[in-house]
Amino acid sequence: MSVTVGVVVFPGTNCEHDVVEAVARAGGEARTVWHADRRLTGVDAVVLPGGFAHGDYLRPGAIARFSPVMAAVEELARAGGPVVGICNGFQILTEAHLLPGALQKNRGLAFVCAPAELEVVTDRSVLTAGVAVGRRLRVPVNHFEGNFTCDPSTLAELVDQDRIVLRYVHNPNGSVADIAGISNEAGNVVGLMPHPERASDPLLGSEDGLVLLAALLASAGAPMASPRSGAPPVPSDGSGSGAFGAVAAAAT
Amino acid sequence: MSRFAALVEVRLRPGIADPAGTTIERSLAALGFADVSGVRTGKAIRLEVEADDAAAARSRVEELCRRFLTNPVIEDALVSLEEQAR
Amino acid sequence: MSRFAALVEVRLRPGIADPAGTTIERSLAALGFADVSGVRTGKAIRLEVEADDAAAARSRVEELCRRFLTNPVIEDALVSLEEQAR
Amino acid sequence: MGAGRSGPPADGDDPGPAPDVALHRGLGLTDSEASAIEALLGRVPNHLELALYAVMWSEHCSYKSSRVHLRRLPTEGPGVLVGPGENAGVVDAGGGIAVALRIESHNHPSAIEPYQGAATGVGGIIRDIFTMGARPIALMDPLRFGPLDDERSRWVAAGVVAGIAGYGNAVGVPTVGGELVFDQAYAGNPLVNVLCVGLLPVERLVLGRAGGVGNLAVLLGSATGRDGIGGVSVLASAGFTDDVVAEEAKRPNVQVGDPFEEKRLIEACLQLLDEGLVVGIQDLGGAGLACATSETASRGGVGMDVDVSAVRRREPAMEPWEVMTSESQERMLAIVTPENLGRVLEVCGRWEVAASRVGVVTAGGRLRILDGWGGEVLADVPAASLHEDAPLYDRPRRAPADRGARAADDPGRLPAPEDPGKDLEMLLVDPAWVYRQYDHQLFLNTVVAPGGDAALLRLHAPGVPGGDGRALALSADGNGYWCAADPRAGTAAVVAESALNVACVGARPVAVVNCLNFGNPEHPEVMWQLSEAIDGMAEACRSLGLPVVGGNVSLYNESAGADIDPTPVVATLGLVEELRSPPPGVGLVAGEVVLLVQAPGAAPSLGASQWAVRLRGHRGGRLAPLDLAAHRRLVEVVVGLVAAGVPGGVHDVAGGGLGVALAEMAIASGVGARVAGVDGHVGLFGEAPSRVVLSVPPGRVGEVIDAVVAAGLEAVELGTAGGERLVIEGLVDRGVDGLRQAAARVLPDALGAVGSA
Ligand SMILES: Nc1ncnc2c1ncn2[C@@H]1O[C@H](COP(=O)(O)OP(=O)(O)O)[C@@H](O)[C@H]1O
Ligand SMILES: [Mg+2]
């Protein structure tokens, strides 16, 4: 039975097509979900993809977190369903307080688009379930604000609770403790700066991202065996719809 | 109701690294500004708010800062207010 | 010599488009802040300068703004100054 | 609707104040242009009308100094679906997919506000592409700045790169390549060219034209402000002076880009096109609404009534002429039928794109500007006259007086370097510091990323079906040194290099676009350079079978009276029928044979070479000859070998000569080589077209040489790849890692610390 991943599109998101395509390569199905939708019906997992939601104006994720869809995402997350934020998606998850910390400007004060060597730190997350701890993966990064920052007590908690999911072998952005990705306590909400979808085809130089996406599909398809929560993902049941933000169209 | 103009200064909290400030400071000496130091960068946001009085205006802007204009993990805000002539 | 603390507000000149301000303003209504308008974004830079007196300090900071902190083509700067206790 | 009070505004009864001389001159019109307008209208134009002509007849919009020459370029070929004249050229890529491409300059705005100047350049070129119905999938940025030891040039370079990154990354179009040159010639006037490529299903091709009387013109996107008023006439069409007052006057013309608005515009417009909701669509670029309304109308052979009061504004109290000529960014004009208006507004609403009906298509070919439907007629001119009647100048041309002396001053007579290895190191610059700041991977297309000879992309994009294994290649190339020495031969060599770059990634070159960056056309030497360059380009393109499907002319690139080096930039599109695995790329494979493949009798010259100009400050000499027929055969041989997967590494020999080519291959792969037979520093650094270095497995050298010889070319066995040193016997012996570090350091050292608040 194929797993369906909902890929949320905010105005300004740009990696949604790439994630849909890579999920298909990993053996799943994906469809886009519009940010103004209040339901996530028929979706086993959610990915918040990369891009520049609302232009990243004010701060990355600051405006997007108020989108109507985020209530449903939060509900899914609380019910133990897999929620993964990639890059801008990670930024949105921290702004929405689904993950701790913040993503600041890269230490080098420049955007970085480059391949990165990652190390899997835990298998207790929906993105790394079944992946050998210590395994090295080559997955590109592409961000300006990817420097993960948190206070020392949060960092201690992340370490103690085994919530650092991925680390950079060579830190590209100044991120504390070389963190590339973290999870919530239950392991079902994961945020990471690298783009697994960009390492999904031999023509692109690496297929290592498929390792992570396949783990996500497996986690979503076997919710009972999901890393730390026994709770199956419950699709939210919001109601109504309506665009977020002012609809500025007008005929004169 | 009156209209108040507010200036919100969004600052990095003490202890949070400010590479932009550091970079500016580092280049100052070469530019002949060795007398300048302690550079910290932040955002300046100007806006207007409708409220009954200055206290109400301030509390609205502070609420906006808390909910939206700052990320409390790394930032805080300083609000200054001025009543506008109508 | 005294030490002065300066706050430099770097603003887009009037008439220059401010996409960030416009976008922030557009999202306010949905957040329940329909009473807020006229959002303009800029930079806030804090720094310290050594100078003989306030006038000298101000003129140094203004020179720094002109030469380095702003591009006068699209930006201007508002400087406020405060003498520091030693 | 638009059936208001009719009649021209000044038909005898109310001519308004006669425009005085200062007015038209202030708008950038010459006295004879002003009389031509008066003759054309049969009356004195009012201020608004004069403003429309001033922007539309500017150099930027009308190409009045270059059109007579551009006609000599070959523009037709079997795959060409749309040639020059539209917003972008379109080439059939097979499998039902077409490629739209276009290049533009944003030189002058970038000189005074590097970040926003470059950013808005990116925004503008992207709009040209989705205007054609194509999904923009890639950008390139050929850049030229003053020297790295000049503070202002560093500020410009860092700002431009940040602006391209800031806009391109956020708008979601990857930047997959470009060029980077630092030279004194560009210190006062940098060159910021931007190229965009898009894909579309062939049947979705739309052209920027209005049709159907009664159809509506809907303005989409940002509100209109005073920014960029008269930008084309003032900023793009006049050089820089030391005059502070003049600089101040240009300032308001700098605009701030909004990539978020542009992203929503792309999505909204592509959805409108997918749903078949628009008759025609046109971006607003130079000359704003004046250009978009008159251009769509005149292309469609119709007229248009425009209600200037219906245009959403960002600022109060704007005059009609300001609204009509504003160059506010991120706006599009869609022509829609009245029945579709509702759905159009719905689609725009979903993407939070503002849309307002500002015009209606009329019969009779007049462009009328009204103050409210049925309101006062503020301007009434023949729409087509704004384009077709623009003046055409055949400006005087004269070869520079020192031409002969300069050619005779051969840098081959300069003393040979004591340590050629040191010179080699100084010629190496790794542009990675630039392209690491660009998202170059979005859409999962990038098979060869920046750093190779050409970008290689899968022919694949959201909303564009098919592709089935096809790929496209792109390379942007220019060489101001060559073109200054000999604009005709230099430009031909640039075309040749560009085609060969594309071949090196296994693609067959099929078409080119060009951006002609030149000085002040009122200088006869500049007009001579322009004319010669166009002839060189025409000749090379004809011989290589490359139609020119679009271009842009940027004149008045001068500062304080000094013109830039003539710098035509050529971008070549190549196609791959079936891409099974990535091409070998720039590199060496240990144990393989290093082969130089070249046109017979290649004679490298130090004239106008990187070595002579950059290291010795010597700009004289002659270029090595180019045999276009042999070059065409070389391109074919290289495409064949790469497609067949024969070599383990490929790189063309371009600027810096054989030494630089070998060093770049060694650095890219971390593999050294030992080669012999390089003839002194002239052999090491001399430049000549039609040369490629291959790394070939020993067992396949015979077959490569056979193919090369059969094509009437020659192959020279240089040596063997392997080890950690690059040894060029008698000349160079350097560690590969040292060379790599030297190259990698240049840009971060110079630009990494250019802090901005
Ligand atoms: N400004 C730039 N932006 C992006 N990529 C660049 C830029 N400048 C150079 N590059 C990339 O670096 C590589 C080397 O450039 P260049 O030396 O001009 O190549 P070539 O000599 O083969 O034409 C190319 O892949 C090119 O696309
Ligand atoms: Mg090359």
Side-chain angles (χ1 to χ4, degrees):
Chain A
M1 192 197 72
S2 176
V3 166
T4 302
V5 177
V7 181
V8 179
V9 182
F10 302 91
T13 296
N14 62 32
C15 296
E16 73 271 25
H17 306 286
D18 299 3
V19 172
V20 167
E21 193 172 326
V23 165
R25 278 191 149 268
E29 257 175 52
R31 64 175 175 83
T32 55
V33 175
W34 185 236
H35 75 117
D37 291 351
R38 291 173 192 276
R39 309 163 180 258
L40 288 168
T41 323
V43 158
D44 305 302
V46 163
V47 171
L48 307 185
F52 289 74
H54 298 275
D56 273 4
Y57 290 134
L58 189 57
R59 294 182 309 279
I63 300 176
R65 72 168 268 227
F66 292 106
S67 275
V69 77
M70 287 305 291
V73 170
E74 220 177 301
E75 203 173 325
L76 176 66
R78 252 190 270 109
V83 173
V84 173
I86 300 171
C87 196
N88 199 220
F90 185 9
Q91 294 161 339
I92 294 169
L93 290 177
T94 61
E95 285 282 340
H97 309 302
L98 288 170
L99 290 172
L103 292 143
Q104 277 193 287
K105 279 208 172 68
N106 296 344
R107 189 175 40 198
L109 291 178
F111 194 97
V112 178
C113 177
E117 188 94 9
L118 306 178
E119 188 183 294
V120 176
V121 182
T122 179
D123 58 0
R124 288 160 49 84
S125 87
V126 287
L127 202 61
T128 50
V131 184
V133 171
R135 180 163 175 189
R136 297 271 175 105
L137 302 171
R138 210 175 141 78
V139 179
V141 293
N142 184 71
H143 57 247
F144 202 152
E145 275 119 342
N147 176 352
F148 181 79
T149 308
C150 62
D151 57 39
S153 66
T154 305
L155 181 60
E157 214 170 275
L158 291 175
V159 173
D160 291 348
Q161 296 172 356
D162 198 13
R163 288 164 58 190
I164 298 175
V165 177
L166 296 162
R167 265 192 223 276
Y168 301 112
V169 175
H170 306 287
N171 192 331
N173 55 30
S175 164
V176 63
D178 301 328
I179 286 174
I182 58 169
S183 77
N184 65 349
E185 218 179 318
N188 65 309
V189 179
V190 176
L192 73 165
M193 290 314 297
H195 288 259
E197 77 277 11
R198 294 187 176 195
S200 60
D201 189 311
L203 281 177
L204 304 176
S206 169
E207 288 180 283
D208 290 355
L210 293 178
V211 172
L212 300 173
L213 294 175
L216 172 64
L217 293 174
S219 306
M224 299 310 286
S226 109
R228 293 175 214 189
S229 82
V234 182
S236 78
D237 192 28
S239 59
S241 71
F244 170 69
V247 173
T252 54
Chain B
M1 293 287 262
S2 306
R3 178 183 293 273
F4 295 84
L7 169 63
V8 176
E9 183 192 355
V10 177
R11 309 179 297 189
L12 287 169
R13 287 169 56 161
I16 300 288
D18 174 21
T22 315
T23 305
I24 293 174
E25 188 160 344
R26 240 185 305 130
S27 30
L28 285 179
L31 289 165
F33 287 92
D35 48 348
V36 175
S37 62
V39 180
R40 296 282 288 175
T41 63
K43 295 173 200 154
I45 301 170
R46 290 201 173 259
L47 48 82
E48 287 172 17
V49 59
E50 296 271 350
D52 286 333
D53 54 37
R58 172 172 295 275
S59 97
R60 280 298 277 169
V61 176
E62 281 172 351
E63 190 191 339
L64 182 63
C65 288
R66 227 178 8 258
R67 285 199 49 208
F68 184 46
L69 296 182
T70 66
N71 179 350
V73 175
I74 48 172
E75 297 166 331
D76 58 23
L78 199 70
V79 175
S80 44
L81 215 65
E82 197 176 282
E83 186 167 349
Q84 297 287 86
R86 279 256 135 153
Chain C
M1 291 287 261
S2 309
R3 180 183 291 276
F4 295 84
L7 169 62
V8 177
E9 182 192 355
V10 177
R11 309 178 297 188
L12 288 167
R13 284 170 55 166
I16 301 282
D18 174 17
T22 311
T23 305
I24 292 169
E25 184 161 345
R26 222 157 13 103
S27 58
L28 286 175
L31 294 177
F33 286 91
D35 48 347
V36 175
S37 62
V39 179
R40 296 280 288 178
T41 62
K43 295 173 205 155
I45 301 166
R46 290 203 174 259
L47 47 83
E48 286 171 19
V49 59
E50 296 271 348
D52 287 334
D53 54 35
R58 171 173 297 273
S59 99
R60 281 298 277 167
V61 176
E62 281 172 354
E63 191 190 342
L64 180 65
C65 288
R66 225 177 9 256
R67 284 199 39 210
F68 190 54
L69 296 181
T70 67
N71 180 357
V73 171
I74 55 168
E75 295 165 330
D76 57 24
L78 200 69
V79 175
S80 43
L81 215 66
E82 197 175 283
E83 187 165 352
Q84 295 289 87
R86 279 254 138 153
Chain D
M1 293 260 293
R5 198 190 72 184
S6 61
D11 232 353
D13 47 300
D14 177 22
D20 52 279
V21 171
L23 181 56
H24 73 247
R25 285 191 190 159
L27 290 167
L29 289 163
T30 64
D31 295 351
S32 71
E33 287 168 350
S35 349
I37 295 164
E38 192 172 330
L40 203 148
L41 294 180
R43 60 182 165 80
V44 175
N46 65 29
H47 183 188
L48 172 57
E49 291 165 337
L50 209 51
L52 296 178
Y53 281 98
V55 291
M56 293 306 299
W57 288 11
S58 67
E59 189 64 61
H60 179 89
C61 289
S62 72
Y63 292 81
K64 57 191 170 191
S65 302
S66 56
R67 255 182 321 163
V68 287
H69 301 291
L70 292 173
R71 289 175 184 152
R72 301 198 295 273
L73 293 171
T75 58
E76 275 161 31
V80 178
L81 299 177
V82 176
E86 288 281 349
N87 293 293
V90 181
V91 175
D92 192 342
I97 300 182
V99 179
L101 72 163
R102 160 110 195 190
I103 188 168
E104 272 241 342
S105 65
H106 236 224
N107 304 339
H108 289 142
S110 304
I112 56 176
E113 181 14 64
Y115 185 102
Q116 296 297 346
T120 51
V122 171
I125 196 69
I126 290 174
R127 288 193 290 282
D128 278 326
I129 295 303
F130 68 84
T131 293
M132 304 301 292
R135 155 82 60 182
I137 62 154
L139 293 160
M140 280 205 173
D141 64 336
L143 305 176
R144 287 169 171 79
F145 306 110
L148 280 173
D149 59 15
D150 167 45
E151 185 188 324
R152 185 172 173 92
S153 295
R154 286 199 302 271
W155 174 75
V156 172
V160 163
V161 169
I164 288 165
Y167 198 102
N169 298 348
V171 77
V173 182
T175 303
V176 299
E179 283 187 282
L180 194 59
V181 173
F182 299 94
D183 187 81
Q184 189 56 43
Y186 309 105
N189 192 122
L191 299 184
V192 176
N193 293 176
V194 270
L195 162 91
C196 188
V197 174
L199 299 185
L200 66 154
V202 172
E203 72 277 3
R204 195 169 71 192
L205 183 59
V206 276
L207 300 175
R209 60 193 48 169
V213 171
N215 282 343
L216 308 174
V218 181
L219 182 61
L220 312 179
S222 289
T224 300
R226 279 204 183 80
D227 42 2
I229 291 191
V232 291
S233 46
V234 183
L235 204 50
S237 306
F240 286 113
T241 58
D242 279 336
D243 184 343
V244 181
V245 179
E247 292 294 312
E248 277 293 335
K250 287 172 190 168
R251 281 176 179 170
N253 296 317
V254 173
Q255 301 131 60
V256 168
D258 183 355
F260 177 48
E261 179 79 43
E262 179 109 331
K263 169 67 174 167
R264 287 164 15 245
L265 260 185
I266 295 175
E267 300 304 333
C269 289
L270 291 180
Q271 188 177 345
L272 292 177
L273 292 165
D274 268 340
E275 293 189 17
L277 294 170
V278 301
V279 177
I281 192 162
Q282 170 73 42
D283 63 297
L284 275 75
L289 260 178
C291 182
T293 53
S294 62
E295 208 160 278
T296 46
S298 85
R299 283 193 188 128
V302 291
M304 194 177 289
D305 277 2
V306 178
D307 173 9
V308 70
S309 74
V311 176
R312 286 174 53 252
R313 299 163 196 209
R314 216 178 59 226
E315 292 179 73
M318 287 180 69
E319 297 287 332
W321 74 272
E322 293 178 308
V323 173
M324 289 306 295
T325 63
S326 158
E327 293 180 9
S328 286
Q329 297 291 298
E330 288 92 23
R331 298 180 300 161
M332 299 286 287
L333 189 73
I335 310 298
V336 309
T337 63
E339 307 85 76
N340 282 336
L341 180 65
R343 179 63 190 150
V344 167
L345 296 179
E346 234 170 76
V347 170
C348 291
R350 172 185 162 90
W351 290 104
E352 298 174 32
V353 165
S356 40
R357 195 192 75 181
V358 299
V360 59
V361 176
T362 58
R366 308 292 294 189
L367 175 69
R368 300 196 316 160
I369 315 295
L370 314 176
D371 183 15
W373 299 120
E376 192 186 345
V377 179
L378 304 174
D380 183 348
V381 302
S385 71
L386 290 165
H387 303 264
E388 285 150 26
D389 297 332
L392 195 58
Y393 297 133
D394 190 354
R395 296 190 188 272
R397 303 187 293 277
R398 184 174 61 230
D402 66 347
R403 188 176 167 221
R406 185 169 171 169
D409 184 13
D410 180 11
R413 284 197 295 264
L414 292 172
E418 276 172 26
D419 179 2
K422 179 94 200 107
D423 280 8
L424 175 59
E425 202 173 282
M426 288 173 65
L427 286 172
L428 300 173
V429 177
D430 181 352
W433 181 86
V434 172
Y435 61 69
R436 275 168 57 101
Q437 297 186 49
Y438 301 153
D439 180 348
H440 51 258
Q441 301 171 324
L442 187 68
F443 302 133
L444 310 185
N445 284 344
T446 311
V447 178
V448 176
D453 278 320
L456 183 64
L457 308 177
R458 295 198 299 156
L459 205 59
H460 151 275
V464 180
D468 15 271
R470 289 170 198 274
L472 72 82
L474 265 184
S475 177
D477 298 273
N479 191 317
Y481 304 156
W482 295 349
C483 295
D486 184 339
R488 183 186 291 242
T491 306
V494 165
V495 173
E497 178 184 338
S498 196
L500 189 54
N501 273 329
V502 158
C504 283
V505 299
R508 186 173 45 87
V510 296
V512 303
V513 291
N514 70 91
C515 191
L516 300 172
N517 304 279
F518 284 76
N520 184 340
E522 293 154 36
H523 299 164
E525 290 80 5
V526 170
M527 277 317 292
W528 175 81
Q529 290 168 338
L530 180 65
S531 169
E532 287 287 293
I534 287 171
D535 284 334
M537 185 178 304
E539 192 191 346
C541 286
R542 270 206 189 85
S543 300
L544 299 175
L546 295 173
V548 178
V549 297
N552 174 245
V553 181
S554 171
L555 302 178
Y556 295 97
N557 292 291
E558 61 175 348
S559 69
D563 294 301
I564 60 160
D565 279 349
T567 313
V569 169
V570 172
T572 303
L573 171 72
L575 294 174
V576 179
E577 297 289 312
E578 195 187 350
L579 183 69
R580 276 181 243 103
S581 56
V586 175
L588 297 169
V589 177
E592 289 191 347
V593 174
V594 183
L595 274 186
L596 173 65
V597 175
Q598 61 187 8
S605 163
L606 287 177
S609 68
Q610 302 280 317
W611 179 83
V613 182
R614 283 174 51 200
L615 303 190
R616 298 293 184 273
H618 187 111
R619 292 173 184 256
R622 292 196 169 79
L623 305 183
L626 164 63
D627 174 347
L628 283 164
H631 193 80
R632 185 172 188 154
R633 298 194 303 273
L634 176 67
V635 165
E636 280 161 15
V637 166
V638 171
V639 172
L641 290 171
V642 172
V646 176
V650 193
H651 192 23
D652 71 315
V653 181
L658 183 57
V660 165
L662 289 169
E664 287 173 347
M665 294 174 88
I667 290 170
S669 52
V671 173
R674 172 170 285 275
V675 308
V678 176
D679 187 11
H681 74 289
V682 179
L684 190 63
F685 298 119
E687 298 175 9
S690 317
R691 299 192 292 166
V692 173
V693 177
L694 302 178
S695 172
V696 181
R700 304 195 75 169
V701 169
E703 128 195 25
V704 170
I705 291 178
D706 287 350
V708 167
V709 171
L713 305 166
E714 107 194 356
V716 183
E717 239 185 272
L718 292 176
T720 313
E724 287 167 5
R725 301 190 73 76
L726 177 63
V727 180
I728 302 171
E729 276 177 18
L731 293 164
V732 177
D733 184 352
R734 296 292 241 236
V736 174
D737 202 50
L739 292 173
R740 184 186 58 76
Q741 286 180 28
R745 251 196 332 260
V746 180
L747 297 180
D749 281 1
L751 299 175
V754 182
S756 80

